[in-house]
C-alpha cells in the first residue's frame, strides 16, 4: 500500500532510505590510508633451548680434537639386525660391538659367526635364565625388554637392570667357560632374542687363527690394570708408612683421538631486484627474507645437533650410558636413575610430549615438580635440574621418545657446542651471508651458511632414558 503525497508520486519506503550511502566507505578510505603491518611471521620457530644452553667453543681450525686417557674400553655394545618376514638375523659387521670382537677385521669369520646365532621368541613374564646357572649362551636382544632380577640381602627380588633392543647379555660366556649368571633374566615384554652357545663359538675359535689371536689380545687387555671405566690405571700409593717405595707411573693417551669437523647448513636466498628496489618501505624486503631464512637454518642446526649420525647427541651417546624405563612412562624413579649415573647434570632435554607424560606420572603420585628460572623464564625441573623442551627429539612409532641428561662445558668434561666466529661476511656468530651476484633475470642471490657441531668430551657427560612411553593411557 502506498501513501499519496498529493502530487501523484509515491513516498519512498524506509528500506530504500537505508540503502543509500551517507558517508565514505571504508574500502574507498583505505586508498588514502597507510595500513599498519606486522613483520612476516613464522610458525616453525621453537624455543631452541639446546642452542641457548650449550657452551660454544671457538674452533679456529675447523676441527676439534677430543683427547682422552688411553682406554681399554670394549665395544659400544649394540648390534643391528635385519628382519625378513618372521626371520631375524644379526648383521655380521655389527658383531664388532661385542666386547670380545672389538676391532676384529675378518669379515668372513664374522659372517660365519652370525649364522650360528639361533632365533628364539619369548613371551612376557617368561624366565630366560636364573641366577647361579652357568652362562653358556650370549643373547642379543632383537626386540623387547628383559629385566635383570637379583636377590637382595634380605631375600627380596629386585630389578637391577633392563636390556632392550640391540643390547647384549651374557657375553661373559665368550671369554670364560665357567662363568655363572649373577642375576636372573625375566621378560618384561614379548620379544625376540638371538642366542649363541659357548660351544659353537669355541669350535669356530679353534678353527680360526685370527679369531684365536683376537681372543688372546682381548684377554691381554682385560688383564692390564684399569679403572672401572676401562681407562689405563694410574699407579698410586696411599696409607703407607716409613720409607715405602713409591710406584712410578704416567698417564697414557689415546693414539687416535676422535676429531669433530664443523658441519654446515646452507641455502641460497634469492630476491628479485624489482622487489628490493620498489617495495622496501616500510620494511626492508631483504632483511625480512633473511630473518626467516636464518630462523629456518637455526631450527635445522638444532635438529642436526640432536640427530646427526656423525656428531648428534642422541646418536653418539654411549650405549652403557643408556637406560630403559621401568614401566614405560617416564616416572620420577626413571629420572632419579638417569641423574644418579653422572655428576653435575646441568639440563634434562625432552620432547614436549615426554614432559607432559612425566607430569602425568607425577600427578598420579601426588608429586608436584618444582620450577627454576632459565634465562628469565620459569621452566619445570626435577631435583633442581631444569627440564627443557626440544621438539627435535624424535618420537618413534608415534608413542615412544627419549629424555637426555647432560653435563655441559669444557671445565666440567661435558658436552660443548662447536663453532667458528670471525668468518668472512659474518652476520651472526658462525653464520655468514655472502653476496653471490645478480643473474641475467635480475635476481639477487645470497649464500647463507651456518657452521656448527657438538662434542661429548667424556662418555658419561650425556645419558639417555630410552623407550619413554608418551601416549596417554586409556581411562
Amino acid at each position: 500500500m502506498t501513501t499519496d503525497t498529493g502530487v501523484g508520486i509515491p513516498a519512498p519506503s524506509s528500506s530504500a532510505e537505508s540503502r543509500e550511502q551517507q558517508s565514505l566507505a571504508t574500502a574507498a578510505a583505505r586508498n588514502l590510508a597507510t595500513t599498519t603491518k606486522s613483520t612476516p611471521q613464522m610458525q616453525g620457530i621453537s624455543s631452541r633451548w639446546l642452542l641457548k644452553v650449550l657452551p660454544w667453543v671457538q674452533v679456529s681450525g675447523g676441527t676439534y680434537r677430543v683427547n682422552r686417557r688411553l682406554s681399554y674400553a670394549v665395544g659400544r655394545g649394540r648390534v643391528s639386525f635385519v628382519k625378513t618376514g618372521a626371520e631375524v638375523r644379526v648383521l655380521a659387521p655389527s658383531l664388532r660391538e661385542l666386547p670380545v670382537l672389538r676391532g676384529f677385521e675378518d669379515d668372513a669369520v664374522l659372517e660365519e659367526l652370525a649364522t650360528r646365532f639361533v632365533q628364539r621368541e619369548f613371551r612376557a613374564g617368561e624366565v630366560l635364565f636364573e641366577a647361579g646357572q652357568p652362562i653358556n649362551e650370549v643373547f642379543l636382544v632383537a626386540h623387547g625388554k628383559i629385566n635383570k632380577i637379583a636377590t637382595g640381602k634380605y631375600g627380596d627380588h629386585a630389578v637391577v637392570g633392563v636390556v632392550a633392543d640391540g643390547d647384549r647379555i651374557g657375553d661373559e660366556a665368550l671369554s670364560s667357560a665357567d662363568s655363572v649368571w649373577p642375576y636372573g633374566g625375566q621378560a618384561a615384554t614379548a620379544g625376540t632374542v638371538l642366542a649363541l652357545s659357548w660351544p659353537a663359538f669355541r669350535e669356530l675359535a679353534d678353527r680360526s687363527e685370527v679369531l684365536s689371536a683376537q681372543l688372546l689380545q682381548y684377554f691381554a687387555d682385560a688383564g692390564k690394570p684399569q679403572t672401572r671405566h676401562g681407562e689405563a690405571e694410574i699407579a698410586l700409593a696411599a696409607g703407607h708408612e716409613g720409607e715405602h717405595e713409591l710406584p712410578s707411573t704416567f698417564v697414557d693417551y689415546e693414539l687416535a683421538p676422535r676429531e669433530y669437523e664443523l658441519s654446515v647448513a646452507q641455502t641460497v636466498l634469492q630476491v628479485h631486484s624489482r622487489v628490493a628496489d620498489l617495495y622496501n618501505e616500510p620494511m626492508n624486503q631483504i632483511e625480512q627474507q633473511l630473518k626467516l631464512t636464518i630462523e629456518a637454518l637455526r631450527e635445522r642446526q638444532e635438529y642436526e645437533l640432536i640427530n646427526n649420525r656423525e656428531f648428534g647427541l642422541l646418536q653418539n651417546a654411549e650405549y652403557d650410558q643408556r637406560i630403559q624405563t621401568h614401566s614405560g612412562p617416564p616416572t620420577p624413579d626413571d629420572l632419579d636413575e638417569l641423574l644418579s649415573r653422572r655428576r653435575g647434570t646441568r639440563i634434562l632435554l625432552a620432547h614436549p610430549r615426554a614432559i607432559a607424560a612425566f607430569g602425568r606420572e607425577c600427578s598420579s603420585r601426588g608429586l608436584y615438580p618444582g620450577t627454576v628460572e632459565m634465562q628469565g623464564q620459569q621452566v619445570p625441573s626435577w631435583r633442581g635440574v631444569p627440564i627443557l623442551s626440544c621438539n627435535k627429539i624424535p618420537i618413534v612409532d608415534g608413542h615412544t621418545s627419549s629424555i637426555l641428561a647432560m653435563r655441559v662445558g669444557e671445565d666440567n668434561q661435558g658436552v660443548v657446542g662447536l663453532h667458528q666466529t670471525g668468518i668472512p661476511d659474518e652476520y651472526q656468530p658462525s653464520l655468514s651471508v655472502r653476496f653471490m651476484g645478480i643473474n641475467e633475470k635480475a635476481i639477487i642471490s645470497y649464500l647463507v651458511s651456518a657452521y656448527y657441531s657438538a662434542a661429548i668430551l667424556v662418555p658419561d657427560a650425556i645419558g639417555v632414558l630410552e623407550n619413554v612411553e608418551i601416549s596417554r593411557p586409556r581411562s
Side-chain angles (χ1 to χ4, degrees), residues 19-34:
R19 288 195 298 268
E20 291 182 1
Q21 181 175 334
Q22 298 181 6
S23 65
L24 181 66
T26 56
R30 289 178 59 186
N31 293 328
L32 300 182
T34 300

Side-chain angles (χ1 to χ4, degrees), residues 16 89 112 223 230 271 278 289 294 296-297 318 324 334 356 374 449:
R89 293 180 292 107
E112 183 175 353
V271 181
L278 303 181
Q289 289 277 305
I294 291 175
L297 277 177
E318 293 289 340
Q324 304 294 322
D334 293 324
M374 288 288 293
S449 307

Side-chain angles (χ1 to χ4, degrees), residues 56-61 63-64 410 417-423 430:
W56 292 92
V57 176
Q58 171 73 358
V59 182
S60 300
T63 302
Y64 185 79
E410 278 189 312
L418 309 176
H419 71 175
Q420 183 179 142
T421 59
I423 58 178
S430 200

Side-chain angles (χ1 to χ4, degrees), residues 47 49-50 53 330-332 334-336 338-339 345-360 362 368-374 377-390 393 402-406 465:
S47 56
W49 275 113
L50 180 61
V53 300
T331 65
D334 293 324
L335 262 61
D336 281 344
L338 188 62
L339 291 175
T345 300
R346 172 73 183 278
I347 61 170
L348 292 165
L349 208 62
H351 192 279
R353 291 182 60 187
I355 298 176
F358 176 68
R360 288 195 298 270
C362 290
Y368 300 94
T371 60
V372 296
E373 183 177 337
M374 288 288 293
Q377 300 184 40
Q378 293 293 321
V379 297
S381 67
W382 183 250
R383 307 296 188 192
V385 180
I387 306 175
L388 305 180
S389 64
C390 179
I393 299 176
S402 301
I403 297 178
L404 283 70
M406 288 191 291
L465 179 64

Side-chain angles (χ1 to χ4, degrees), residues 163-404:
V163 291
D165 302 5
D167 287 331
R168 90 277 180 184
I169 187 171
D171 51 315
E172 298 92 337
L174 301 182
S175 57
S176 176
D178 54 1
S179 298
V180 297
W181 289 105
Y183 44 76
Q186 185 175 21
T189 66
T192 304
V193 297
L194 297 183
L196 175 67
S197 68
W198 165 250
F201 178 80
R202 187 74 261 176
E203 188 273 333
L204 180 60
D206 291 340
R207 289 194 294 106
S208 171
E209 293 183 1
V210 289
L211 185 55
S212 296
Q214 174 74 16
L215 291 176
L216 292 175
Q217 182 62 47
Y218 172 77
F219 295 143
D221 287 344
K224 294 178 181 178
Q226 55 187 278
T227 69
R228 62 187 179 90
H229 301 294
E231 296 174 329
E233 187 71 74
I234 298 177
L236 303 171
H240 53 276
E241 296 179 0
E243 299 178 352
H244 183 82
E245 183 175 350
L246 299 179
S248 59
T249 188
F250 67 97
V251 181
D252 207 352
Y253 302 133
E254 289 185 352
L255 295 180
R258 180 169 180 180
E259 294 183 346
Y260 295 84
E261 294 184 357
L262 291 183
S263 182
V264 62
Q266 291 179 306
T267 188
V268 176
L269 173 62
Q270 296 182 324
V271 181
H272 200 286
S273 59
R274 180 171 54 189
V275 172
D277 292 342
L278 303 181
Y279 300 96
N280 250 7
E281 293 293 339
M283 300 177 195
N284 187 295
Q285 293 284 354
I286 295 179
E287 285 185 2
Q288 296 302 321
Q289 289 277 305
L290 185 59
K291 183 184 76 170
L292 297 185
T293 300
I294 291 175
E295 293 286 356
L297 277 177
R298 293 304 191 193
E299 292 289 329
R300 181 66 186 206
Q301 176 180 348
E302 186 175 60
Y303 175 88
E304 293 292 322
L305 289 175
I306 293 290
N307 298 291
N308 187 281
R309 294 187 62 86
E310 296 298 323
F311 58 84
L313 302 180
L314 193 58
Q315 298 291 334
N316 286 269
E318 293 289 340
Y319 286 121
D320 59 3
Q321 298 297 327
R322 300 170 184 255
I323 63 174
Q324 304 294 322
T325 59
H326 287 85
S327 58
T331 65
D333 297 335
D334 293 324
L335 262 61
D336 281 344
E337 184 173 355
L338 188 62
L339 291 175
S340 68
R341 287 178 170 247
R342 60 202 38 79
R343 60 178 172 83
T345 300
R346 172 73 183 278
I347 61 170
L348 292 165
L349 208 62
H351 192 279
R353 291 182 60 187
I355 298 176
F358 176 68
R360 288 195 298 270
E361 291 300 309
C362 290
S363 297
S364 67
R365 291 164 169 78
L367 301 174
Y368 300 94
T371 60
V372 296
E373 183 177 337
M374 288 288 293
Q375 300 183 5
Q377 300 184 40
Q378 293 293 321
V379 297
S381 67
W382 183 250
R383 307 296 188 192
V385 180
I387 306 175
L388 305 180
S389 64
C390 179
N391 62 357
K392 313 305 187 302
I393 299 176
I395 296 177
V396 181
D397 299 329
H399 61 86
T400 60
S401 185
S402 301
I403 297 178
L404 283 70

